[in-house]
Amino acid sequence: MTVHQNLIAGEWTGANGVENINPSDTNEVVGLYAQASVDDTKAAIAAAKAAFPAWSRSGIWERHVILKKAGDEIMARKDELGALLAREEGKTLPEAIGETIRASQIFEFFAGEALRLAGEVIPSVRPNIGVEITREGLGVIGIITPWNFPIAIPAWKIAPALCYGNTVVFKPAELVPACSWAIVDILHRAGLPKGVLNLVMGKGSIVGQTMLDSPDVAGITFTGSTGTGKRVAAASVEHNRKFQLEMGGKNPMVVLDDADLNVAVEAAANSGFFSTGQRCTASSRLIVTEGIHDKFVAALTEKLKTLVVDNALKAGTHIGPVVDERQLKTDTDYIEIGKKEGAKLAFGGEVISRDTPGFYLQPTLFTEATNQMRISREEIFGPVVSVIRVKDYDEALATANDTPFGLSSGIATTSLKHATHFKRNSEAGMVMVNLPTAGVDFHVPFGGRKGSSYGPREQGKYAAEFYTTVKTAYTLA
């Protein structure tokens, strides 16, 4: 089997490959992917640093054309790349194709942004002096991405980094190198100069740590666990480096007595269980008022009975496998914790077998949970959801905000008063009304508050806040 190599200074390099295993069929090896060493990572950083002066001064049309080519190829290959994503991560094929389309749209958007780069020309308060305010690239950007969105998250970090004139050293999650390799290959063939984009696959303790230790990395954008995010922050402060963190979530969805029951159930099922619950924006806390609680739980349970858990590539599958054995153990450990804490296991919770060997887990619903239980406070990152009963809207809002996280939140209601109040008072970066908490557009800002995020927002025009630095220049007329 061919080894997919790292890209360093415009050259493919690396011989020893690690197997990428399909979580829907553990007998299948998706591919072999090279592992970068400390020296490889240092070489990638040096190449990016050397390429920065020319790339940061490159023409906007050159950047536009390259990003547009990448977006077009991703879209043209959406079925192929979607299948690859489903095989390596376990997301269902429709979800995987949808994510691939989103990656294409992100490149398309930032291809346009490259032509919309702008500044300000304003008068000084002093006579005969002009002032120009412009944005410039930071330098070498270190990009570290997670396994749950293996093509969309790399896209929404790489595209703006290149658009604004930065060079990149990119480390994808160890579990999902295939989609990342494909994106880098597409961009490389689209005409990026040598050293502008470097791919270093491998262990975080080696590749990631080398990036953190380097004074030549001007900025790091990281999506992953809270613990690792704190290490990124500490190392970045040491080097006076700009950093951006997207970390965990324990997102609430409030269901009020006046909610449309069908809308509430569909939003809750999508938020909590689709993509196997492996989304930082997933709703793992359903906060339900007393008047609708029993009807909602009964209807959601009936909905869960209809969801098919199976091979991600199989037609009719609603929920694919958990990403790997370690995550499966985390999920089942938390299910046992929930039982011991006194929550009622209302549905699911069993590891199941299918025609192909994989990491299959039933969608799991707890009821009679409290907001103080570990299953209500700690991110599980699997298809495990708790229902918390509250008496009214005021208690629901207080419970929703009682969390160390603040990424996404939702409310199901037909009351304009409560919807408006919730949007204003929910302590989250993104708020959804009568919609799943997971699922955001590619052209608007993404990010949260409290322990979920740090630094400027990602995506859309707001990405410029992280990927650029502001310069103010004065000229005597």
Side-chain angles (χ1 to χ4, degrees):
M1 190 176 288
T2 301
V3 175
H4 293 78
Q5 298 174 302
N6 291 303
L7 183 67
I8 300 173
E11 303 294 332
W12 295 105
T13 179
N16 297 321
V18 170
E19 292 182 343
N20 183 11
I21 302 298
N22 181 348
S24 289
D25 182 357
T26 54
N27 291 327
E28 184 194 7
V29 177
V30 177
L32 298 177
Y33 292 84
Q35 301 288 285
S37 65
V38 170
D39 288 343
D40 291 333
T41 309
K42 288 180 177 179
I45 294 169
K49 183 180 180 181
F52 175 70
W55 180 249
S56 64
R57 291 166 176 78
S58 61
I60 59 174
W61 184 251
E62 179 182 1
R63 298 183 209 173
H64 167 83
V65 168
I66 290 170
L67 294 172
K68 181 72 164 57
K69 278 185 181 179
D72 288 347
E73 182 171 341
I74 291 169
M75 183 64 78
R77 295 172 58 192
K78 66 182 187 298
D79 293 335
E80 170 204 345
L81 293 173
L84 179 64
L85 195 165
R87 287 167 62 211
E88 75 167 349
E89 195 269 347
K91 198 167 292 185
T92 65
L93 185 58
E95 289 175 322
I97 293 173
E99 181 181 334
T100 303
I101 292 170
R102 180 176 176 183
S104 170
Q105 292 167 332
I106 290 165
F107 277 104
E108 184 85 19
F109 177 85
F110 283 104
E113 284 295 278
L115 300 179
R116 292 188 286 266
L117 296 178
E120 297 178 78
V121 177
I122 61 176
S124 170
V125 294
R126 294 168 289 170
N128 303 318
I129 293 176
V131 182
E132 297 173 59
I133 303 168
T134 55
R135 288 186 175 273
E136 297 180 355
L138 293 179
V140 178
I141 300 291
I143 293 177
I144 302 174
T145 58
W147 50 259
N148 61 325
F149 283 89
I151 197 165
I153 293 180
W156 85 45
K157 293 180 186 291
I158 292 171
L162 298 177
C163 169
Y164 296 117
N166 300 282
T167 55
V168 170
V169 178
F170 170 38
K171 181 217 164 313
E174 294 172 60
L175 285 175
V176 289
C179 287
S180 294
W181 189 94
I183 280 187
V184 171
D185 175 57
I186 289 168
L187 282 163
H188 178 59
R189 289 185 290 98
L192 278 180
K194 291 183 177 182
V196 171
L197 174 61
N198 302 271
L199 173 67
V200 277
M201 299 175 287
K203 293 184 177 295
S205 58
I206 296 172
V207 177
Q209 191 61 50
T210 304
M211 292 164 66
L212 293 182
D213 292 341
S214 175
D216 292 329
V217 176
I220 287 188
T221 175
F222 166 84
T223 300
S225 71
T226 301
T228 302
K230 289 179 178 178
R231 295 207 302 275
V232 172
S236 296
V237 169
E238 179 72 19
H239 293 291
N240 200 27
R241 170 195 298 138
K242 202 170 184 181
F243 61 96
Q244 178 186 62
L245 309 176
E246 289 296 340
M247 299 173 288
K250 195 66 182 175
N251 308 298
M253 170 167 280
V254 170
V255 179
L256 298 184
D257 287 353
D258 62 14
D260 181 307
L261 186 60
N262 290 331
V263 168
V265 167
E266 289 299 319
N270 183 305
S271 297
F273 301 105
F274 285 19
S275 295
T276 323
Q278 296 174 155
R279 299 183 284 196
C280 55
T281 51
S283 283
S284 52
R285 292 187 300 145
L286 304 177
I287 301 166
V288 187
T289 50
E290 290 177 329
I292 200 172
H293 178 278
D294 292 351
K295 289 186 291 184
F296 173 80
V297 168
L300 180 56
T301 302
E302 289 303 310
K303 173 70 176 179
L304 295 183
K305 290 177 182 177
T306 70
L307 299 182
V308 176
V309 181
D310 210 328
N311 191 305
L313 295 175
K314 192 172 181 179
T317 297
H318 298 109
I319 300 174
V322 173
V323 71
D324 72 348
E325 188 172 16
R326 184 170 64 176
Q327 184 61 48
L328 180 61
K329 185 177 187 307
T330 296
D331 295 347
T332 55
D333 284 351
Y334 270 107
I335 291 169
E336 292 306 311
I337 289 168
K339 293 176 183 177
K340 290 176 182 177
E341 288 181 314
K344 177 185 175 183
L345 183 60
F347 184 84
E350 297 295 326
V351 176
I352 55 179
S353 298
R354 290 296 181 256
D355 293 339
T356 50
F359 307 113
Y360 298 107
L361 177 65
Q362 286 180 310
T364 303
L365 183 68
F366 281 104
T367 57
E368 307 308 326
T370 70
N371 206 46
Q372 286 67 49
M373 292 178 177
R374 287 182 63 190
I375 57 169
S376 301
R377 302 204 69 79
E378 300 172 12
E379 186 175 42
I380 300 171
F381 220 64
V384 183
V385 173
S386 302
V387 179
I388 300 169
R389 187 196 300 258
V390 294
K391 65 178 184 293
D392 56 21
Y393 170 75
D394 290 338
E395 186 181 356
L397 176 63
T399 302
N401 287 338
D402 180 14
T403 172
F405 299 106
L407 182 56
S408 185
S409 68
I411 187 169
T413 180
T414 55
S415 164
L416 179 60
K417 173 186 173 182
H418 286 138
T420 302
H421 189 272
F422 188 81
K423 285 189 288 184
R424 176 65 184 86
N425 291 279
S426 174
E427 296 172 0
M430 298 177 290
V431 182
M432 314 292 183
V433 178
N434 295 322
L435 290 166
T437 58
V440 295
D441 294 339
F442 62 87
H443 68 303
V444 298
F446 177 97
R449 297 163 62 170
K450 299 191 278 190
S452 290
S453 304
Y454 181 88
R457 291 290 190 257
E458 299 198 86
Q459 297 199 127
K461 65 181 181 180
Y462 287 82
E465 295 298 324
F466 176 74
Y467 291 99
T468 64
T469 185
V470 175
K471 176 180 283 183
T472 305
Y474 294 85
T475 303
L476 178 64

